[in-house]
Amino acid sequence: MASTLRKKPLAWAVAFAGLGLAMGLVAPQARAADDLTTSPYLFGDWNGERTRLADEGITFDLGYGGEAAHNFTGGDAHLTRYTDQWKGGVALDLDKLWGWHGATFRMMITDRNGRNLGADADIGNNQLIQEVYGRGQTWHLTEFSLEQKFFDGALVVKAGRLPVGSDFAAFSCDFQNLTFCGAQPGNIVGNYWVNWPTSQWAVNIKLNTTKETYVMLGAYQVNPNYVNNQYAESKGLIPDFPGGTTGALIPLEFGWAPTAGGLPGSYKFGVWYNTSKGSDLYYDINHDPAGETGLPALQRDGEYGAYINFIQQVSGDAGGTGTSIFLNVSQADRNTAATDRQISLGMEYKGPFARANDMIGFAVGATNANSRYAEYVQENNIRTGENVIVGDGNEYVTELFYSWSPIPSVYLRPNLQYILHPGGTSENSNAFVLGLKMGFTF
């Protein structure tokens, strides 16, 4: 069934539309909550059914996101590509439903389709130009979890199938370039730090030490199958227990959410350790240059890194219109990470031109290609006669967008991206890209 639906992404639209009609959206006298000019949902309140179900403990998360991109420069062809994602999720408040105090069950299913501009135009970029692309372009069980709160929410335990980046180093995805989207560690060590839409069996524990501070610890199964496209296409939609587990990813995060002049901020500091063995990028099993000897790579005991994630609103109304600035920095260990560092700095201004739902965003970022790996490739080229090009510096990205929201449930977000030294090398031509990111909340 999954392969059939994957070939027909409009099945989601038909299903959502049918649900909307079934819930009475065509009723002659629309409720105030069904007014599209104010409702956060394109299908409104389902003639009151959505609110009634939420009151009983059942809430839905239904939506569609698409991203188009065209490269005017860079690559070996000037192309236009489109990729998208459908999502359908439900959260069950088990206290309201069954009297299970403090418990919530969540399930999210996603479906991705479309093409990747960077690959098709051979731009050579390390960070996706269309962040919504990837992980198999198929169906995924993105979340399947049970959350339990203790001591009036002071302690929160969550277990099940979870994406690491939904809890640790969590960050918005307002920009289209991956450099500025989602949990940053997953952008540089995505082979074991798994962000949306892929999930792993996991457990995490969060202790809210004060109203403004917390500490969070997690353990996530590391298994190469979860990031294997063929596995995703065949079993990505089921809560499977694949063989081949290599270890566990253990992230630790400290968070602080203060207010400055009445305006909210979020400051996160984190470290991680992957207990799996990692292949050294330069040395062989004898601690000699692997590019010269051709022998298997030295196996390192574990992989690690650290990150900071700062967001601070600096003007406007608290949590509403105004300007916020952000800084993300992640560093992975240089022994095993081919892209070992990413830095991004940016701002968002909500409410331009007295339009509360519109937004302007601007960001700059750099992703470093590890010079140890580049040196290995250069020595391997000499030994084998190949001519593989790999970067040994930074891929610099700049993105500017304007987000137009004609109604609260819809946004259209044209953007301009400039990629300097794609892949961290001047061997690849700089790319100027026009993009369009769009979203619909059903």
Side-chain angles (χ1 to χ4, degrees):
M1 181 183 76
S3 62
T4 301
L5 289 174
R6 184 169 62 86
K7 297 175 183 177
K8 299 179 180 179
L10 287 179
W12 279 95
V14 172
F16 289 162
L19 178 61
L21 292 174
M23 292 298 182
L25 293 184
V26 295
Q29 301 296 324
R31 297 165 55 92
D34 291 323
D35 184 352
L36 293 184
T37 63
T38 58
S39 174
Y41 309 112
L42 187 60
F43 290 163
D45 196 40
W46 303 344
N47 204 26
E49 286 299 303
R50 191 167 197 150
T51 295
R52 183 186 65 79
L53 289 170
D55 290 340
E56 294 179 358
I58 305 172
T59 59
F60 298 93
D61 184 359
L62 311 172
Y64 173 81
E67 296 176 355
H70 177 86
N71 62 314
F72 291 98
T73 65
D76 56 16
H78 297 164
L79 305 174
T80 301
R81 291 293 182 262
Y82 185 79
T83 186
D84 66 13
Q85 175 181 268
W86 298 88
K87 68 174 183 177
V90 63
L92 305 180
D93 184 328
L94 301 184
D95 190 359
K96 292 181 178 179
L97 289 169
W98 299 334
W100 185 349
H101 183 65
T104 303
F105 170 79
R106 296 183 181 88
M107 183 172 68
M108 174 65 70
I109 292 173
T110 54
D111 175 37
R112 288 186 167 183
N113 309 272
R115 303 286 298 183
N116 173 11
L117 174 65
D120 288 356
D122 196 22
I123 293 173
N125 52 298
N126 280 335
Q127 297 299 294
L128 287 166
I129 294 169
Q130 302 148 282
E131 56 78 21
V132 79
Y133 181 87
R135 296 303 193 196
Q137 297 305 90
T138 186
W139 296 79
H140 286 88
L141 180 62
T142 299
E143 182 171 358
F144 187 82
S145 72
L146 178 65
E147 178 186 279
Q148 178 66 60
K149 296 180 179 179
F150 301 93
F151 311 115
D152 294 325
L155 178 65
V156 183
V157 179
K158 188 188 299 185
R161 284 285 294 267
L162 298 164
V164 186
S166 293
D167 292 296
F168 292 87
F171 188 68
S172 66
C173 212
D174 297 330
F175 291 82
Q176 183 166 314
N177 193 288
L178 187 62
T179 307
F180 316 112
C181 170
Q184 196 177 64
N187 296 347
I188 58 175
V189 289
N191 58 316
Y192 63 85
W193 180 297
V194 177
N195 287 340
W196 180 292
T198 308
S199 62
Q200 304 152 286
W201 289 107
V203 60
N204 65 60
I205 302 172
K206 182 178 182 180
L207 176 63
N208 294 301
T209 49
T210 70
K211 291 183 179 180
E212 294 183 344
T213 60
Y214 68 84
V215 59
M216 184 163 54
L217 178 67
Y220 292 76
Q221 177 191 20
V222 176
N223 189 309
N225 280 307
Y226 290 130
V227 293
N228 181 297
N229 290 351
Q230 292 182 338
Y231 176 84
E233 290 172 1
S234 60
K235 296 185 177 180
L237 194 56
I238 60 176
D240 192 26
F241 294 88
T245 295
T246 60
L249 170 64
I250 304 173
L252 173 66
E253 180 175 291
F254 301 89
W256 179 39
T259 57
L263 299 177
S266 172
Y267 299 82
K268 303 173 186 176
F269 307 82
V271 295
W272 74 82
Y273 184 75
N274 175 18
T275 65
S276 309
K277 288 186 177 296
S279 297
D280 192 279
L281 298 174
Y282 184 74
Y283 289 118
D284 68 10
I285 53 176
N286 298 319
H287 292 266
D288 293 320
E292 296 179 359
T293 67
L295 294 176
L298 174 69
Q299 294 300 298
R300 296 283 182 175
D301 292 327
E303 301 173 281
Y304 53 88
Y307 62 87
I308 60 173
N309 178 325
F310 298 163
I311 309 171
Q312 179 64 57
Q313 187 174 351
V314 295
S315 71
D317 302 320
T321 59
T323 301
S324 296
I325 58 175
F326 66 83
L327 170 67
N328 289 320
V329 181
S330 296
Q331 177 70 56
D333 74 275
R334 302 193 74 250
N335 291 325
T336 62
T339 51
D340 62 345
R341 183 175 64 252
Q342 187 171 84
I343 302 172
S344 64
L345 174 67
M347 57 78 64
E348 292 183 340
Y349 174 51
K350 296 181 180 179
F353 312 114
R355 295 184 55 83
N357 295 320
D358 286 7
M359 179 167 55
I360 297 173
F362 176 76
V364 294
T367 303
N368 188 64
N370 194 333
S371 59
R372 294 183 76 250
Y373 181 61
E375 190 173 355
Y376 157 76
V377 172
Q378 291 165 6
E379 293 174 352
N380 191 65
N381 284 343
I382 294 172
R383 181 178 62 85
T384 63
E386 297 178 352
N387 186 31
V388 177
I389 297 174
V390 65
D392 61 356
N394 283 301
E395 171 181 289
Y396 299 98
V397 178
T398 301
E399 182 175 341
L400 171 68
F401 73 72
Y402 185 90
S403 184
W404 174 60
S405 184
I407 54 177
S409 58
V410 174
Y411 70 79
L412 302 173
R413 192 169 294 165
N415 61 81
L416 298 174
Q417 302 179 39
Y418 191 75
I419 306 169
L420 178 67
H421 301 160
T425 174
S426 59
E427 296 278 346
N428 294 325
S429 299
N430 300 334
F432 175 61
V433 176
L434 172 64
L436 176 64
K437 183 170 184 170
M438 65 188 74
F440 304 84
T441 302
F442 302 113

